[in-house]
Amino acid sequence: MEAFSRVTAVALPLLFDNIDTDIIIPSREMKSVGKTGLADGLFAGWRYTAVGNREPAPDFLMNQPPFDRARVLIAGVNVGCGSSREHAVWALHEYGFRAVIAPSFNPIFRGNCIRNGVVPVQLEADSVRLLGEAARADPLGQQVTVDLDAMTASSGAGSFGFALEEDSRAMLRNGWDAIDLTLQHRDRIAAWREADRAERPWIYLEPRA
């Protein structure tokens, strides 16, 4: 997984509540079981003029420069609700988004963000609105910085602190998945196994080293 420290980029403000995973990546666009080949279907229902075509909808902000190269998504409450499909985060990441800023997240979507290198930044609704309105009015002049060291999201509209669990922050900063995170405790795991083997040798098939 790609490690994250800090990004400064154009932000895409989609200040709508309940942007669900089917809006982010409609099921008809999920033609892969892997993490690639999904960016073209990102926001397909809003991004194209009709189902099945690739003619850009002119009114959709993501189709308009410089929002078409946004790397930060600003959304309303309960972003990522709906199904648990991980493809939603895969599509965002493949397109280039590295952070999502919102007042609240669906818990599964938030977990998928952390496990795929996309920072979920939860802020007060007023702070999200300020960042979003500034980004929409002046996308190049009001680029948004998400800093995982300082734990802030900022632009000319202000700087706002956010929180993450320590394990989640470590995964994002180091590009670790859940297995990598567990292996950080390999010495403790090995010590536990040795103690358990001494206490219950009959449950281990391999001979003691």
Side-chain angles (χ1 to χ4, degrees):
M1 188 172 79
E2 186 180 1
F4 184 100
S5 176
R6 186 174 188 270
V7 67
T8 298
V10 170
L12 175 67
L14 299 178
L15 295 173
F16 310 115
D17 294 344
N18 302 311
I19 295 178
D20 63 34
T21 52
D22 201 55
I23 292 172
I24 297 171
I25 181 80
S27 57
R28 64 179 179 275
E29 300 288 344
M30 293 163 49
K31 301 171 183 173
S32 166
V33 295
K35 297 185 178 183
T36 58
L38 297 164
D40 208 34
L42 180 65
F43 293 118
W46 291 351
R47 188 174 166 192
Y48 305 115
T49 56
V51 172
N53 77 20
R54 287 294 186 259
E55 181 182 348
D59 294 338
F60 185 49
L61 205 58
M62 198 173 87
N63 289 332
Q64 303 169 14
F67 297 108
D68 57 350
R69 59 177 188 269
R71 301 187 70 195
V72 177
L73 173 64
I74 304 177
V77 301
N78 199 30
V79 62
C81 59
S83 79
S84 61
R85 66 187 67 164
E86 197 168 4
H87 299 68
V89 177
W90 295 346
L92 286 167
H93 185 272
E94 187 182 31
Y95 186 88
F97 286 101
R98 297 307 313 278
V100 178
I101 300 173
S104 62
F105 289 77
N106 171 272
I108 294 175
F109 177 79
R110 182 180 184 276
N112 288 338
C113 284
I114 292 164
R115 284 157 181 76
N116 289 282
V118 176
V119 182
V121 179
Q122 185 167 342
L123 300 177
E124 295 292 329
D126 286 346
S127 304
V128 174
R129 180 181 53 77
L130 284 172
L131 290 172
E133 290 179 352
R136 171 134 195 173
D138 184 6
L140 292 176
Q142 297 291 334
Q143 294 189 43
V144 173
T145 296
V146 174
D147 190 325
L148 206 51
D149 295 320
M151 295 299 290
T152 57
S154 59
S155 74
S159 182
F160 309 98
F162 66 95
L164 280 174
E165 305 84 358
E166 198 53 44
D167 282 353
S168 299
R169 189 180 180 198
M171 290 173 72
L172 288 162
R173 291 181 70 176
N174 294 286
W176 292 341
D177 61 20
I179 294 174
D180 295 324
L181 181 65
T182 300
L183 290 177
Q184 303 312 306
H185 306 287
R186 53 168 59 88
D187 291 345
R188 291 175 58 192
I189 295 170
W192 184 91
R193 281 175 58 89
E194 283 305 304
D196 189 59
R197 186 197 299 273
E199 185 176 339
R200 302 185 300 164
W202 62 88
I203 70 168
Y204 290 85
L205 293 176
E206 72 271 26
R208 191 167 189 170

